[in-house]
Amino acid sequence: MISESRRSTPDAFVASMDFDGRLAPFDLTASIAHVEMLGRRRILPRADAAKIVAGLRRILARVERGGRLVKAEDVHYAIEKTLYKEIGPLAGKMHTARSRNDQTVTALRLYLRTHIDGLRARLSELTAAFVDQAERNLGTVMPGYTHLQPGQPVLAAHHLLAHAWMLTRDRERLADVRRRVNQLPLGAAALAGTTFSIDRSWVADRLGFEGLVENAMDAVSDRDFLVEFLAAAALVMTHLSRWAEELILWTNPSFGFAVIADPFVTGSSIMPQKRNPDVAELVRGKTGRVYGALTALLTLLKGTPLAYNRDFQEDKPPVFDAVDTVEACLDVTTPLVRTLKVNREKMLDACRLGFLLATDVADAFARRGVPFREAHGLVAKAVHYAVERDISLEQVPLSFWRNLSSQAGSWILETLSLEKAVAARRSLGGTAPAEVQRQRLALRRRMQKGR
Ligand code: ARG
C-alpha cells in the first residue's frame, strides 16, 4: 500500500520551489531593475515604482542574510507573494510588462554569469598550482607515455604544464560562453513582446548585460547558452578526470611517482597500510554527473516547439548540480596539486625501464645518413636482442650493432643518456629545459591576460 501522504499531487508535481530557490537573489536583482525602468518610462507612477523597489531591496537584504520567502509554486511567485506581505496590493504592479517566461531565464542567466566568474577564478588558481608544481620539477625526469607504455623521457614540468594548458583553454572557453550567456532576455514578455513602451537596453545596462536577446520568441525558448556552458563544464571535468586518473596511477606503489597529502587520502577499515586516493577517484567519478547534465539539456530541448514550454523548468536541476560539482572538484583539486609531493628518484628509476632512449639512437643513425625507417628497424632489432637477454640497451655489444649497420660506433653509448635525450628536444613545444621554461613564461603571460 502506498501511503497517500507519499503520493505526488499535480500542484506538487509542477512546483519548482524545492530547487529554484537559489535563483532568489538574481530574480530580485532583475525585478528591481525592471521596476526602476517601469518608473522611468512612467509605465508605473514613479512613487509606486519607488515603493516596490524599496520593498524588493528589503527582501533582497533578508534573503542575503539567509531569510526565507513565502512558500509558492516557484521562486518567482514566492518573491511576489513575499512582496505582497511587505508592501500590500501595490505588489501586483511589479509584473507589468513581463512574464515568468522572460523572468525565469533572466534570473538563470544572471546566476550562471556569476558562477562562470567563480569557475574562471578557480581555474586560474588550479592552473597556477600546476605551474608552481612544474617550477619545482624543472629538473625532474620521468617517462613520457603513449598507450601508457614508456615512450621517451620528459621533464615532469613538461607533463604538468600540459595540464596547465588544458585548464587555460577551459578558462578561456568559459569567457567565450559568458559573452553569450550575458545577453538580456527580459522584455520578451511571454513570447511576443509587450504593449508597454519598455526600455530593454536600459535594463540590460543596469544589470550589466552585454546585449539583448532580440527576438522575443528566441529569448524565452532557447536554452542554448546552458548547453554551451555544460559542454565547457564537461570539458573541465574531462581534464580534471584525466589528471585524477594519472594521480591514481602515480601514487600506486608500483609507480611511486608522487605522494598525495593526508587530507586527500583515506585509509581502509580493514587494511592498515592503505592510502586510497578517494578524492581523485571521486573527481573522476563525478565527471559522469556533468556529462549527464549536458545530455539532459540537449534532450530537454529537442522536439520542443516554439516558444516557452514547461519542460524548460527541468533545465535547472542539472545545471545547478553541474555548477556545484565542478566548483567542488576544483576546490579540492587545487590544494591537492599544491601539496603533492613528487618523488624524483622514483620517476628517474622508472626511466630505466622500457628502452626510453631507443628513439634517440634511431635519430642518431638518421643524422649519420641512415634513412630513419631503416634506423628504426635496426634499433628495434637491438631492443629485441636486449629483451631476450634481459639486458639494457647500454649492454648490447658494439659487435651486435656493427653487424646491423656500418654506421654503428661507440657514439651509441654516448647517446644513451636521459639528460641528453631531454636536452636535445629543443623544438618548439618540446621537453628541453630551456623550451619548457619558455612555455612556462608564455603560459604565465597568457594567464595574466586574464581572458
Ligand atoms: N518555474 C517556471 C520555469 O522554470 C517559470 C516559468 C513558468 N512559465 C509558465 N508559462 N508556466 O520555467
Side-chain angles (χ1 to χ4, degrees):
M1 273 293 285
I2 303 163
S3 118
E4 283 310 308
S5 66
R6 288 181 167 274
R7 266 190 210 285
S8 193
T9 61
D11 280 353
F13 188 74
V14 299
S16 53
M17 196 64 203
D18 279 352
F19 56 80
D20 66 11
R22 69 165 85 188
L23 291 181
F26 304 99
D27 197 54
L28 282 158
T29 302
S31 290
I32 289 168
H34 175 68
V35 177
E36 282 174 344
M37 181 276 292
L38 294 178
R40 293 173 72 90
R41 300 289 291 181
R42 304 284 193 277
I43 295 168
L44 292 184
R46 297 206 98 164
D48 287 359
K51 275 181 206 147
I52 297 170
V53 167
L56 289 169
R57 285 195 199 286
R58 288 197 295 278
I59 298 170
L60 178 58
R62 286 206 298 273
V63 164
E64 279 168 350
R65 277 185 269 111
R68 287 183 180 280
L69 300 168
V70 175
K71 277 210 177 346
E73 176 190 301
D74 66 11
V75 65
H76 315 296
Y77 276 149
I79 288 172
E80 198 170 308
K81 274 194 178 177
T82 309
L83 187 64
Y84 267 98
K85 260 183 68 181
E86 190 76 21
I87 62 169
L90 197 55
K93 293 195 175 185
M94 169 173 69
H95 209 56
T96 310
R98 74 172 187 190
S99 146
R100 269 192 305 158
N101 298 349
D102 56 342
Q103 185 185 354
T104 194
V105 68
T106 300
L108 192 53
R109 283 176 183 262
L110 283 173
Y111 159 86
L112 197 56
R113 184 179 80 185
T114 299
H115 284 274
I116 285 174
D117 293 344
L119 285 169
R120 295 188 67 241
R122 285 176 171 86
L123 282 163
S124 291
E125 289 170 2
L126 178 55
T127 309
F130 270 109
V131 174
D132 290 349
Q133 192 59 260
E135 268 160 26
R136 272 180 266 155
N137 287 287
L138 280 164
T140 309
V141 180
M142 68 178 287
Y145 299 92
T146 67
H147 314 261
L148 197 56
Q149 300 291 320
Q152 293 167 351
V154 293
L155 291 184
H158 185 63
H159 188 129
L160 292 162
L161 285 175
H163 288 287
W165 281 104
M166 294 180 211
L167 296 165
T168 297
R169 285 195 299 281
D170 286 335
R171 198 189 71 248
E172 293 174 354
R173 201 173 349 263
L174 281 170
D176 294 340
V177 171
R178 191 190 193 277
R179 286 192 294 118
R180 282 178 295 279
V181 168
N182 201 24
Q183 306 287 321
L184 179 75
L186 197 67
L191 77 161
T194 172
T195 55
F196 296 97
S197 65
I198 58 173
D199 186 348
R200 296 187 64 197
S201 299
W202 187 89
V203 176
D205 276 354
R206 183 90 175 133
L207 293 171
F209 283 99
E210 288 160 65
L212 302 172
V213 186
E214 290 211 16
N215 183 294
M217 294 181 83
D218 177 31
V220 293
S221 78
D222 208 351
R223 296 293 184 270
D224 56 353
F225 67 99
L226 297 178
V227 172
E228 268 193 76
F229 166 74
L230 290 171
L235 273 172
V236 173
M237 291 306 297
T238 303
H239 292 150
L240 293 184
S241 183
R242 295 185 73 188
W243 165 243
E245 170 62 14
E246 291 195 325
L247 265 183
I248 292 162
L249 285 171
W250 285 16
T251 57
N252 179 296
S254 312
F255 279 75
F257 287 1
V259 179
I260 297 175
D262 286 350
F264 307 98
V265 294
T266 57
S268 151
S269 58
I270 170 169
M271 297 165 281
Q273 83 285 15
K274 294 282 265 181
R275 288 179 65 81
N276 294 326
D278 295 33
V279 168
E281 289 172 295
L282 279 167
V283 167
R284 188 177 60 183
K286 283 175 189 287
T287 301
R289 295 166 72 134
V290 180
Y291 291 0
L294 173 60
T295 308
L297 259 288
L298 285 166
T299 313
L300 177 68
L301 284 178
K302 82 176 279 295
T304 46
L306 299 190
Y308 176 84
N309 300 273
R310 193 59 178 264
D311 314 42
F312 299 158
Q313 180 166 288
E314 287 292 312
D315 59 1
K316 290 168 204 66
V319 169
F320 294 158
D321 187 65
V323 167
D324 291 346
T325 302
V326 184
E327 285 179 354
C329 288
L330 289 167
D331 283 344
V332 292
T333 303
T334 300
L336 194 162
V337 171
R338 284 219 167 279
T339 54
L340 189 73
K341 282 213 167 54
V342 170
N343 189 328
R344 290 163 179 248
E345 289 68 37
K346 288 277 192 180
M347 283 184 165
L348 198 59
D349 281 353
C351 291
R352 318 263 171 238
L353 302 170
F355 305 97
L356 285 183
L357 299 172
T359 314
D360 293 82
V361 182
D363 281 357
F365 271 111
R367 258 190 287 279
R368 283 172 168 74
V370 180
F372 182 78
R373 187 52 57 219
E374 231 171 84
H376 179 281
L378 66 92
V379 177
K381 284 194 185 118
V383 169
H384 188 73
Y385 176 93
V387 169
E388 286 207 317
R389 285 156 187 82
D390 196 20
I391 59 173
S392 68
L393 218 42
E394 287 89 335
Q395 292 166 311
V396 173
L398 192 54
S399 55
F400 181 85
W401 286 108
R402 287 211 209 274
N403 268 333
L404 294 174
S405 165
S406 59
Q407 291 300 322
S410 55
W411 57 263
I412 293 176
L413 266 186
E414 285 155 40
T415 307
L416 292 170
S417 144
L418 289 169
E419 287 66 31
K420 278 187 194 161
V422 169
R425 288 183 167 76
R426 283 183 298 269
S427 57
L428 197 143
T431 196
E435 176 53 23
V436 171
Q437 282 282 18
R438 194 198 56 75
Q439 293 168 43
R440 187 178 64 82
L441 295 175
L443 184 59
R444 281 246 186 249
R445 270 198 301 282
R446 183 130 153 205
M447 285 168 70
Q448 273 151 16
K449 270 204 209 145
R451 204 166 67 82

